[in-house]
Each structure stands twice: as C-alpha cells, then as structure tokens.
Amino acid sequence: MCLGLPMTIVETDGRLAVCEYGGQQRCVSVMLLSEPPVGSKVLVSIDTAVRLLDDDEARLIAQALDALHAILNGEDYDRLFADLIDHEPQLPNHLREPVRLR
C-alpha cells in the first residue's frame, strides 16, 4: 500500500520541486502537473506530485495521517476526526442509488 502525503511546494523549477510536510523536505517531480506555483499543496506519492490539493483537502489528509500515527502509538485520536463524531456517514453522490420515477 502506498500513502500520499499532502506537501507544500517551497521552491520549484517547473520540473522538480522542494516540498515540505511535517517539518521535513523532499525533492519531488512535478512533471505530472501544469507548473504549480510555490505555496501550492500537492499530493505526493513515491516522490512524484500526482495532483493539486486545496487547503481543506490537504488538512483532512494530514489529520488522517496524524490519526494513524496516534493509533499506532496508543494515543487518543478522536480530536482528529471531530467533524465525523455524532454524524452518520454519507455516501458520495455517485454511489447513491438513482431515484426511480414511477
């Protein structure tokens, strides 16, 4: 299984970028993207930026990764999923059954 990290572009030449996540920097390819600017959030998998992220999506992915770390270390993780507590899960629109008219 591969995990993607939500990283922020610190500097780039259009082909490679220095990206940061959790205080660590990595050099990654940005050739799959259309020249993302410095400050952009990108999803990085195997040292390749595979898509742009908006700030909210990057935050949610980072929280999920923090929760995995907390679980593996026997720490509390509920605070990282505050938006899900006391909510019934909802299917995305494309997975819901279509309404059939009679």
Side-chain angles (χ1 to χ4, degrees):
M1 175 174 74
C2 294
L3 292 177
L5 297 177
M7 302 187 86
T8 302
I9 295 177
V10 176
E11 61 183 79
T12 183
D13 66 6
R15 293 181 305 131
L16 295 174
V18 175
C19 294
E20 184 174 79
Y21 174 75
Q24 296 185 350
Q25 292 186 344
R26 297 185 68 87
C27 184
V28 304
S29 170
V30 290
M31 292 179 63
L32 294 177
L33 306 177
S34 183
E35 297 188 34
V38 169
S40 296
K41 304 279 195 276
V42 291
L43 185 64
V44 176
S45 181
I46 314 173
D47 289 335
T48 302
V50 294
R51 70 180 177 93
L52 289 171
L53 299 172
D54 63 36
D55 289 340
D56 287 335
E57 188 175 21
R59 178 184 53 78
L60 290 172
I61 293 169
Q63 285 179 340
L65 292 171
D66 289 345
L68 285 173
H69 183 266
I71 290 165
L72 291 171
N73 290 299
E75 301 167 2
D76 176 54
Y77 56 88
D78 285 345
R79 63 185 165 73
L80 297 165
F81 293 106
D83 59 325
L84 299 177
I85 294 173
D86 297 328
H87 288 89
E88 187 69 27
Q90 298 294 315
L91 286 173
N93 288 335
H94 70 279
L95 294 177
R96 295 180 187 169
E97 285 191 44
V99 176
R100 292 197 171 95
L101 301 175
R102 293 179 183 215

